[in-house]
Amino acid sequence: MTIAGTDSGGGAGIAADLRTFAACRVHGCLAVCAVTVQNSVGVTGVHPIPAETVAAQITVVAADIGLQAAKTGMLASVEIIEAVAGACDGASIGAGRATPLVIDPVAASMHGDPLLASEALDALRDELFPRATLVTPNLDEVRLLVGTDVHDRAGQYTAAKALHALGPRFVLVKGGHLREDVDVCVDVLYDGDEFTELPGPRFDTGDTHGGGDTMAAAITSRLAHGDAVPDAVAFAKRYLVEAVRHSYPLGAGHGPVSSLWRISDEPV
Ligand code: PXL
């Protein structure tokens, strides 16, 4: 299940998650948290769904269809975060429970438009991080969550430790925004004991809209298939590299990564 927001441009959020789920051969369920009004240039409207409606979507699906894994994306508000935490408890979703939970701590779009109320960062840290199997921040989100400016690999390691202290079982500090690496993009996975570096090529493109969602959705898909977290993350890194390689321009702004590269006719 994806617990996230919509993007009317179809690039990010729930649309990216469901495409990725399908390409990774899992059936996707959805709990819509917010509707955003946006195109490739920016976000002009954010409309949160009532918190009890968000919780109810999780509860009814878990009770009937059952959930093998869940992820959160855009959660929009404190009320929604609290409702999601409560619904996850009721449905046995979270670290150490039946259904693993991936938290992608979405705070802003790549245009810099806010997707999370500023006062909701505390709720994300306090309510959801302790319940997380894995958190997947980019470097902007690391700065907002633990106040660390990361400029190099050592900084990624330090940030991973600070984030792990907030309660998640695994932390993935994504390196896509790290400018010291010119040709590579290295993500760092930390389990509280060992660090694993996941290098991939860096592509010279602005068409990376929905990249973080696609990565977290690919991880969640593999967790649903029963993979351990390190295997799911390694798969998702390879998946995202191809999605960025096949990204495409759309509109006047940032185009999306191709979460469907895997089912395209093109030889890759
Ligand atoms: O990529 C992060 C993201 C997640 N969810 C929604 C978004 C975005 C980025 O724009 O719009 C709904």
Side-chain angles (χ1 to χ4, degrees), residues 4-7 12-14 34 36 38 43 73-74 104 106 108-111 113 115 141 208-213:
T6 66
D7 161 8
I14 285 176
T36 73
Q38 68 174 292
V43 180
M74 175 189 181
D104 182 16
V106 172
S109 76
M110 68 185 289
H111 320 94
D113 299 313
L115 299 174
E141 292 154 358
T208 57
H209 185 47
D213 315 60

Side-chain angles (χ1 to χ4, degrees), residues 14-238:
I14 285 176
D17 291 341
L18 292 182
R19 280 195 295 270
T20 305
F21 289 164
C24 294
R25 302 183 182 94
V26 295
H27 173 82
C29 299
L30 52 147
V32 184
C33 298
V35 171
T36 73
V37 180
Q38 68 174 292
N39 57 22
S40 74
V41 182
V43 180
T44 54
V46 170
H47 303 276
I49 302 295
E52 63 273 19
T53 307
V54 175
Q57 294 171 82
I58 300 169
T59 305
V60 299
V61 171
D64 169 40
I65 297 173
L67 296 171
Q68 272 61 58
K71 76 173 281 268
T72 66
M74 175 189 181
L75 294 170
S77 73
V78 174
E79 294 74 23
I80 291 175
I81 290 170
E82 289 172 348
V84 167
C88 284
D89 287 351
S92 281
I93 301 168
R97 302 196 169 148
T99 306
L101 178 63
V102 176
I103 306 282
D104 182 16
V106 172
S109 76
M110 68 185 289
H111 320 94
D113 299 313
L115 299 174
L116 183 72
S118 51
E119 68 274 12
L121 270 174
D122 287 343
L124 194 58
R125 251 190 322 248
D126 300 345
E127 300 282 342
L128 285 184
F129 273 42
R131 291 173 165 86
T133 306
L134 168 72
V135 295
T136 64
N138 63 33
L139 297 185
D140 291 335
E141 292 154 358
V142 165
R143 184 166 11 83
L144 290 171
L145 288 161
V146 289
T148 325
D149 258 320
V150 175
H151 300 291
D152 53 21
R153 192 89 58 251
Q156 279 180 285
Y157 279 52
T158 308
K161 283 188 174 169
L163 288 157
H164 192 266
L166 298 173
R169 299 292 162 90
F170 288 83
V171 176
L172 182 70
V173 176
K174 295 179 293 187
H177 297 178
L178 201 60
R179 284 297 149 210
E180 73 154 16
D181 292 324
V182 198
D183 299 326
V184 286
C185 165
V186 181
D187 301 336
V188 172
L189 180 67
Y190 181 57
D191 64 3
D193 183 26
E194 285 181 15
F195 293 94
T196 308
E197 293 190 5
L198 295 114
R202 179 182 291 281
F203 297 96
D204 186 15
T205 176
D207 297 333
T208 57
H209 185 47
D213 315 60
T214 298
M215 174 100 186
I219 295 170
T220 307
S221 301
R222 286 313 314 173
L223 293 178
H225 282 294
D227 278 7
V229 171
D231 295 334
V233 170
F235 167 88
K237 178 73 180 181
R238 296 193 299 273

Side-chain angles (χ1 to χ4, degrees), residues 203 241-248 256-258 261 264 266-268:
F203 297 96
V241 165
E242 295 309 319
V244 179
R245 194 195 306 281
H246 292 85
S247 69
Y248 45 92
V257 303
S258 175
W261 67 268
S264 107
E266 270 181 61
V268 288

